[in-house]
Amino acid sequence: MVLTREKIRKIKEDFLREFDEAKSGLEELEKIRIKYLGRKSAFNQMLKELKDLSEDKKRELGPLANEVKKDIKNSIDEAILDIKREKDLQKEWIDVTAPGNKKRIGSLNILSQTQREIERIFNSMGFEIADGPEVESEWYNFDALNMPPDHPARDLWDTFWLKQKSKKDQGKLLLRTHTSNVQVRYMKKNKPPLKIVVPGKAYRYEATDANHEHSMAQFEALVAGDEINVANFKDVAEKFFSSYFRQDINVRLRPSYFPFTEPSFEFDISCTVCEGGGCPACKNTGWLEVGGCGMVNQRVFEAAGYPRDKYQGFAWGFGIERLAMMKHKIDDIRYFRSGDLRFIRQF
Ligand code: PHE
């Protein structure tokens, strides 16, 4: 066998033909690489034959053969690179028309939203927002509000009493049963005229049902000055509820009893569904019960260190859950702290 120009050209032609069919598969490319460039390839065989040629022929065919070998190698290498690049691209491919993954960002719990709304309205009426502890002394929760130990009115609130090592400093401790504990706390430090609202949690040691929870949010209002009367209360309450429900609301007072107010009332608002006409939501009465209120008992002023009969004031308290339930038509108070995301995400 002698190496000739034709032979080299034939190898190249054969290669190109096979390469055309093989260039899209890695396995196929590897096969023709072995066939044309491998140790036992026809091409290597021919390079060996080159040695037997005359110097002249060597000089003529040597570079040509090497060039063809280089071309073959480059073609195969490039084809392999192309395939890999294509694969990478497929991995990175993104469908720009696909809908995005919606990230859930949290939102304020409906109770916080309601509390903020209430605060906003009272702020606009010139009220200050006051705060107090949830772990409270017996004195601020009861005694200061005209309920000495053993007073039967304490039974109105089923109380969580706390276990204590020593009762020396602050007496018995409890979880406050209402936000009214802040009344005397605040008045001890401030003199009338004053207008405050106190949002916060309160706790009752009682069985739960659709309208009762052991933990709940309350909202207290306290106004004190020289000439405050029940009409002032009614006016503030009507303005507040009309603003909160975004409709005209009437307030009605019914006689009631709280040790820290005299006289005391339960207050109702005109039904937000039927506006007073009577419907299932208000059990056909036209009214919805909201909370308790009254004129501050002089004994409470005395507990705060004010002289008796110098000031007058009103106070009220209601549950924030109840207010949210009325506005958003929620029928069970236990949803609020159930941790059920289906409930929480509605708001
Ligand atoms: N603290 C009372 C309760 O929780 C409500 C109330 C507040 C009544 C202020 C009168 C005045 O039931």
Side-chain angles (χ1 to χ4, degrees):
M1 287 275 271
V2 191
L3 188 59
T4 60
R5 211 171 247 278
E6 273 65 54
K7 250 186 180 175
I8 296 176
R9 216 190 53 225
K10 175 112 190 347
I11 287 178
K12 188 165 182 185
E13 272 167 14
D14 288 350
F15 169 77
L16 284 178
R17 202 177 336 103
E18 283 181 48
F19 177 74
D20 225 32
E21 275 165 30
K23 68 181 172 199
S24 53
L26 283 178
E27 263 173 50
E28 289 82 349
L29 283 169
E30 178 61 11
K31 263 185 215 152
I32 62 167
R33 194 184 62 78
I34 290 170
K35 179 167 176 190
Y36 285 90
L37 303 175
R39 241 180 336 119
K40 290 180 186 157
S41 62
F43 194 84
N44 253 7
Q45 189 58 37
M46 275 183 265
L47 285 183
K48 272 182 212 156
E49 287 166 18
L50 198 65
K51 282 196 293 216
D52 303 330
L53 296 179
S54 65
E55 281 305 307
D56 272 2
K57 277 276 174 200
K58 262 188 204 163
R59 223 173 285 131
E60 184 197 336
L61 296 182
L64 189 67
N66 272 325
E67 203 171 296
V68 169
K69 187 185 175 187
K70 223 198 299 165
D71 283 352
I72 291 178
K73 189 176 176 307
N74 285 347
S75 301
I76 294 176
D77 285 352
E78 252 166 48
I80 290 175
L81 262 186
D82 276 353
I83 291 175
K84 287 194 172 152
R85 231 178 266 136
E86 183 65 25
K87 275 199 176 148
D88 283 350
L89 270 183
Q90 265 167 16
K91 253 188 263 156
E92 283 170 19
W93 181 81
I94 41 167
D95 180 356
V96 290
T97 64
N101 286 335
K102 199 169 170 194
K103 291 260 180 302
R104 271 198 193 281
I105 45 173
S107 61
L108 281 180
N109 185 282
I110 183 60
L111 280 180
S112 306
Q113 290 182 38
T114 309
Q115 180 176 327
R116 289 192 182 189
E117 167 81 351
I118 299 171
E119 288 175 5
R120 187 189 62 72
I121 298 170
F122 273 102
N123 265 331
S124 76
M125 293 197 278
F127 280 66
E128 184 187 329
I129 294 165
D131 205 3
E134 290 171 28
V135 171
E136 182 57 287
S137 71
E138 174 183 25
W139 195 80
Y140 280 111
N141 196 83
F142 289 129
D143 302 52
L145 297 172
N146 194 27
M147 279 179 280
D150 304 322
H151 192 290
R154 284 196 181 191
D155 293 346
L156 290 175
W157 295 273
D158 293 304
T159 309
F160 288 108
W161 294 95
L162 301 184
K163 282 195 185 130
Q164 288 161 269
K165 286 206 180 108
S166 136
K167 299 182 179 112
K168 256 185 251 148
D169 297 339
Q170 64 262 73
K172 274 163 80 185
L173 290 179
L174 45 80
L175 292 182
R176 69 174 172 193
T177 58
H178 47 193
T179 43
S180 304
N181 68 321
V182 183
Q183 289 191 14
V184 171
R185 275 189 175 275
Y186 184 88
M187 288 195 287
K188 272 191 157 194
K189 293 198 184 122
N190 300 275
K191 292 259 160 311
L194 55 88
K195 296 200 282 187
I196 60 165
V197 287
V198 186
K201 272 197 234 153
Y203 304 86
R204 307 257 168 105
Y205 184 40
E206 60 185 18
T208 63
D209 63 28
N211 288 307
H212 298 89
E213 257 286 27
H214 47 72
S215 313
M216 52 173 170
Q218 270 207 336
F219 204 85
E220 189 92 1
L222 173 69
V223 173
D226 290 337
E227 284 178 11
I228 305 293
N229 57 39
V230 179
N232 298 139
F233 162 75
K234 204 163 174 268
D235 182 55
V236 168
E238 283 182 347
K239 289 214 165 75
F240 164 72
F241 287 105
S242 298
S243 174
Y244 177 74
F245 286 106
R246 296 190 170 83
Q247 68 191 71
D248 280 342
I249 298 279
N250 291 320
V251 167
R252 166 176 95 164
L253 304 181
R254 286 178 286 119
S256 184
Y257 170 74
F258 296 101
F260 37 93
T261 45
E262 176 60 32
S264 302
F265 310 98
E266 292 286 336
F267 66 99
D268 305 331
I269 60 171
S270 50
C271 180
T272 52
V273 179
C274 64
E275 297 184 1
C279 71
C282 57
K283 300 192 192 94
N284 267 320
T285 62
W287 298 93
L288 301 169
E289 289 176 30
V290 178
C293 64
M295 300 306 294
V296 179
N297 193 312
Q298 288 300 324
R299 288 188 170 222
V300 177
F301 283 147
E302 281 179 312
Y306 298 171
R308 195 180 173 85
D309 292 333
K310 182 164 171 31
Y311 300 113
Q312 294 178 313
F314 68 75
W316 73 5
F318 58 76
I320 298 183
E321 284 88 348
R322 173 122 179 84
L323 220 53
M325 287 166 84
M326 286 192 217
K327 189 164 183 169
H328 304 286
K329 315 269 180 291
I330 300 163
D331 59 9
D332 195 319
I333 194 172
R334 289 167 294 191
Y335 283 129
F336 290 101
R337 290 182 174 76
S338 66
D340 189 336
L341 293 176
R342 290 171 304 177
F343 172 75
I344 292 171
R345 285 183 180 145
Q346 290 177 67
F347 305 101

